[in-house]
Amino acid sequence: MSYRVCFVCTGNICRSPMAEAVFRARVAEGLVEVDSAGTGDWHVGEGADPRTVSVLEENSYAVAHTARMFERSWFSRLDLVIALDAGHVRALRRLAPTDEDAQKVRLLRAYAPVADGDLDVPDPYYGGRDGFEECLHMVEEASVGLLAAVRADVEGRVA
């Protein structure tokens, strides 16, 4: 059985598709399923923001994305729900049907080895390209720790 991780931001066109692409590039095919969604429906059916796509492609990440909204029923099939900022954590935990499901919600930068203070990945949508590059850096940094945590969970299930 695959381990399932879903990254969640607001509109599912900037931060969460970036986190999805970066993490998917790091995990073993078939052992971990990775996807993303938004807390709202503003961009459902749209592709990732062109700035997200260009920053990812320039850094050798594959991008195939269509925005969607996170649904309450998904909790039962997910192992981890990774939020990109504290507002997403609150929204997702309110949406969780059980306390056990609420515990699946984690903040991405909590996995970053050198994150200090504010653990939010800032929303780059209203800024320039540099915000998207900063977002990628934060996502890559946190993905190392997240991958180690997922590996430990997967190995714990097999043992």
Side-chain angles (χ1 to χ4, degrees), residues 81-99:
V81 180
I82 303 296
L84 278 289
D85 71 31
H88 306 133
V89 169
R90 288 188 297 275
L92 289 161
R93 287 189 176 155
R94 280 192 306 268
L95 188 63
T98 68
D99 287 341

Side-chain angles (χ1 to χ4, degrees), residues 13-119:
I13 61 169
C14 298
R15 293 173 285 178
S16 58
M18 190 174 286
E20 175 186 358
V22 168
F23 199 65
R24 180 175 286 124
R26 288 168 164 68
V27 298
E29 214 40 58
L31 292 178
V32 181
E33 293 177 26
V34 182
D35 60 15
S36 65
T39 57
D41 64 356
W42 304 277
H43 300 286
V44 169
E46 296 177 19
D49 185 289
R51 297 166 293 181
T52 296
V53 173
S54 69
V55 167
L56 286 169
E57 287 178 345
E58 288 171 15
N59 287 276
S60 303
Y61 292 106
V63 185
H65 179 74
T66 302
R68 60 199 188 132
M69 186 173 150
F70 190 89
E71 295 183 23
R72 177 184 175 102
S73 64
W74 296 356
F75 275 104
S76 64
R77 66 175 177 82
L78 293 169
D79 296 290
L80 275 178
V81 180
I82 303 296
L84 278 289
D85 71 31
H88 306 133
V89 169
R90 288 188 297 275
L92 289 161
R93 287 189 176 155
R94 280 192 306 268
L95 188 63
T98 68
D99 287 341
E100 183 179 295
D101 289 325
Q103 293 307 308
K104 295 177 183 179
V105 180
R106 309 283 172 75
L107 197 55
L108 176 64
R109 290 204 61 226
Y111 294 97
V114 294
D116 57 345
D118 185 3
L119 296 180

Side-chain angles (χ1 to χ4, degrees), residues 108-109 112 118 120-122 133-143:
L108 176 64
R109 290 204 61 226
D118 185 3
D120 289 353
V121 175
E133 292 168 350
E134 177 186 10
C135 180
L136 177 62
H137 173 72
M138 290 178 166
V139 166
E140 287 177 326
E141 180 181 72
S143 290

